[in-house]
Amino acid sequence: MNIDDIRAAAACLDGQARRTPLLSSSFLDDMAGKRVLVKAECLQHTGSFKFRGAWNAISKLTDAQRQHGVIAYSSGNHAQGIARAARHADTPAVIVMPSDAPRQKIDNTRALGGEVVLYDRATEDRDRIGARLASDRGLTLIKPFDNYDVIAGQGTVGLEIATKAQALGIDTATVLVPCGGGGLTSGIALALEADAPGLRVHPVEPEGFDDVARSLASGRIERNTRLSGSICDAIITPSPGEMTFPILTRLCGPGLTVAEEDCLRAMVAAFNRLKIVVEPGGAVALAAALYHADRIDADTVIVVVSGGNVDAPVFADALTRFT
């Protein structure tokens, strides 16, 4: 895939997806000791960037595929994106979700019309479950990151970052992106390679689930030993994708990791200073910018906040602990 695919996705998403803002706060700048700009994808439809890739992928279906329906697996954000896009395309959607996914994400997926199939992510294989259901029901599988139409849709975030950076006179910056399987990160990197080559992408992950950082360091796909046990559920994947990893290797700088406590602190900072609600996995890049700025060379940091679908008790705990 290439930049033309991302531009085509942007045309497909025109009038469907929101152009989310690039936010700033002098308080965050002071905390980081750098200029910090926040791409607020938590304000996208369904509360995360995932609607972009979902709509682009579903728009490519044939009439027969739409009639039979789609299937996806997700801890919640891809699930909601697919469910909403499928409802607007008038096609059935089956979503395979881990049973320990945040309750809000499960409930929202069902409310958007998705049929939710729960599984135990520690003992069951979601790929196998999804493949079986797809075969039995004639459903089209739309993977959360290893799908070029999905990557192209997520890459539209990068086009918007490039346009805004140019308007602000920014030609060099570090771009930090929360990273699971790499769909968002690789899509943004492809877009910036074409439209803003001075902006360098670095993936960010929670400690203990840093498969992308390790893979970039070793030059081969590495796997996580655990598949559960993190509050950053949105970006917990077994390994980088087969489609995304070559893009990440070619275009991204070294990966960064942050502690879960830093994610909670970043959630509170985003709420207090930007008035946005961010989920733990969506806050990892902001946590890296605010609390690990010594690991970032650039004077300007553009941070993608990838989602805001957080259960109320988790958000309340963060506010209680760090306000």
Side-chain angles (χ1 to χ4, degrees):
M1 67 173 295
N2 55 41
I3 188 62
D4 292 335
D5 298 309
I6 299 176
R7 297 198 199 288
C12 177
L13 286 161
D14 188 31
Q16 298 293 336
R18 293 170 177 157
R19 287 180 170 267
T20 54
L22 199 61
L23 306 176
S24 63
S25 164
S26 61
F27 291 101
L28 299 185
D29 293 348
D30 290 343
M31 291 173 68
K34 301 174 183 290
R35 186 182 189 184
V36 177
L37 300 170
V38 176
K39 179 65 168 167
E41 279 295 294
C42 54
L43 300 178
Q44 188 55 259
H45 295 307
T46 71
S48 88
F49 72 95
K50 291 287 192 175
F51 175 75
R52 296 175 184 261
W55 180 262
N56 192 51
I58 286 178
S59 72
K60 301 295 195 299
L61 298 177
T62 66
D63 289 342
Q65 288 173 321
R66 290 190 187 191
Q67 184 176 2
H68 282 94
V70 298
I71 186 168
Y73 44 74
S74 165
S75 66
N77 286 336
H78 182 56
Q80 292 172 88
I82 289 289
R84 186 183 194 275
R87 185 175 69 178
H88 280 259
D90 195 26
T91 187
V94 178
I95 315 295
V96 181
M97 300 184 69
S99 56
D100 63 346
R103 177 52 51 183
Q104 181 194 64
K105 293 181 178 180
I106 295 173
D107 292 344
N108 285 352
T109 301
R110 286 177 171 145
L112 288 165
E115 176 190 341
V116 174
V117 176
L118 298 177
Y119 76 101
D120 185 334
R121 71 167 112 199
T123 62
E124 295 181 283
D125 186 336
R126 69 179 188 180
D127 296 85
R128 186 172 300 171
I129 294 170
R132 184 185 69 248
L133 288 170
S135 176
D136 291 347
R137 303 196 194 181
L139 306 171
T140 298
L141 175 62
I142 300 178
K143 294 184 177 182
F145 47 84
D146 254 350
N147 177 303
Y148 285 132
D149 292 326
V150 169
I151 296 171
Q154 321 305 28
T156 60
V157 176
L159 295 182
E160 293 175 18
I161 289 174
T163 298
K164 190 63 175 181
Q166 183 178 20
L168 294 172
I170 300 170
D171 53 16
T172 59
T174 290
V175 180
L176 302 180
V177 184
C179 192
L184 177 63
T185 309
S186 59
I188 290 175
L190 283 168
L192 295 182
E193 177 191 32
D195 284 10
L199 276 56
R200 178 72 159 166
V201 173
H202 293 260
V204 187
E205 301 167 286
E207 290 178 352
F209 299 89
D210 58 346
D211 50 292
V212 173
R214 289 185 287 108
S215 298
L216 290 175
S218 70
R220 63 179 184 273
I221 290 180
E222 307 282 356
R223 296 183 64 85
N224 287 320
T225 57
R226 293 187 293 146
L227 299 179
S228 63
S230 173
I231 61 172
C232 300
D233 64 280
I235 55 173
I236 301 306
T237 54
S239 63
E242 296 287 345
M243 294 179 180
T244 61
F245 184 60
I247 302 170
L248 300 174
T249 300
R250 183 171 68 85
L251 296 177
C252 292
L256 303 175
T257 60
V258 297
E260 288 187 356
E261 182 173 286
D262 288 339
C263 296
L264 295 174
R265 293 166 63 199
M267 289 166 58
V268 174
F271 179 73
N272 286 336
R273 303 308 181 188
L274 300 175
K275 307 308 175 189
I276 58 175
V277 175
V278 185
E279 64 187 277
V284 293
L286 182 58
L290 296 181
Y291 311 121
H292 301 278
D294 58 326
R295 297 156 62 185
I296 302 167
D297 293 333
D299 293 328
T300 297
V301 185
I302 299 174
V303 172
V304 177
V305 165
S306 56
N309 294 307
V310 56
D311 279 349
V314 175
F315 190 59
D317 177 61
L319 291 172
T320 299
R321 291 171 60 185
F322 298 108
T323 298

